Amino acid sequence: MALKSIFFLLASLLVVTTRVLSTDEELLMEAKVPVPAPAHSPVKVLPPPPPPFPVTPPPAVPPVKPPVLPPPPVTPPPTKPPPIECTPLCVERCKLHSRKKLCWRACVTCCNRCKCVPPGTYGNREKCGKCYTNMTTRGGKPKCP
């Protein structure tokens, strides 16, 4: 409680002192005699501004067109050999084999890679070329029937 009263006293002291100071300043201001302005004040005459430089637009440059390139040559898409249907050819090739499913799976793989199945049920492998004859299993045996 004592602290509040001390703050109140300090605040009121501050308000009183600022009012006294402001009234003193007002008295000093009224006591001063204003100095009259001279009747004739010299006016400086500025020289006329220099004439603006004539602004000329830059010369018109015709737009530059990109060079016209000839169209790329039209090449037909690479021709693929007609798709070969391996399933019926391999069924015919493996119909007399003792292990038909194993023969058929190997034959379809060789047909898909080499696009050829030799005629008949056995032999004639050279008719499909090196792709068919050179394909081997991991064990080094011929893969294609």
Side-chain angles (χ1 to χ4, degrees):
M1 187 69 144
L3 189 61
K4 287 184 181 179
S5 61
I6 291 174
F7 280 129
F8 180 71
L9 288 174
L10 285 176
S12 59
L13 180 65
L14 184 63
V15 170
V16 170
T17 56
T18 53
R19 286 194 181 183
V20 169
L21 291 176
S22 63
T23 55
D24 289 342
E25 288 175 1
E26 289 176 6
L27 291 174
L28 289 174
M29 294 293 272
E30 290 176 3
K32 289 184 181 177
V33 178
V35 178
H40 180 284
S41 62
V43 177
K44 289 186 178 180
V45 178
L46 296 175
F53 293 107
V55 178
T56 58
V61 177
V64 177
K65 293 181 181 176
V68 177
L69 299 174
V74 178
T75 57
T79 56
K80 294 181 181 177
I84 184 169
E85 184 60 44
C86 295
T87 304
L89 296 173
C90 287
V91 168
E92 185 65 30
R93 178 81 174 169
C94 296
K95 71 180 176 182
L96 299 178
H97 200 278
S98 61
R99 297 173 70 186
K100 287 184 175 61
K101 286 187 179 181
L102 178 69
C103 176
W104 183 80
R105 192 173 63 225
C107 180
V108 169
T109 302
C110 294
C111 177
N112 284 332
R113 290 184 191 169
C114 300
K115 307 295 183 213
C116 179
V117 175
T121 56
Y122 184 77
N124 301 324
R125 295 176 55 205
E126 64 280 347
K127 295 209 176 187
C128 281
K130 288 186 175 183
C131 174
Y132 199 87
T133 57
N134 292 344
M135 200 177 304
T136 57
T137 62
R138 291 183 203 156
K141 294 181 181 178
K143 180 176 184 80
C144 301

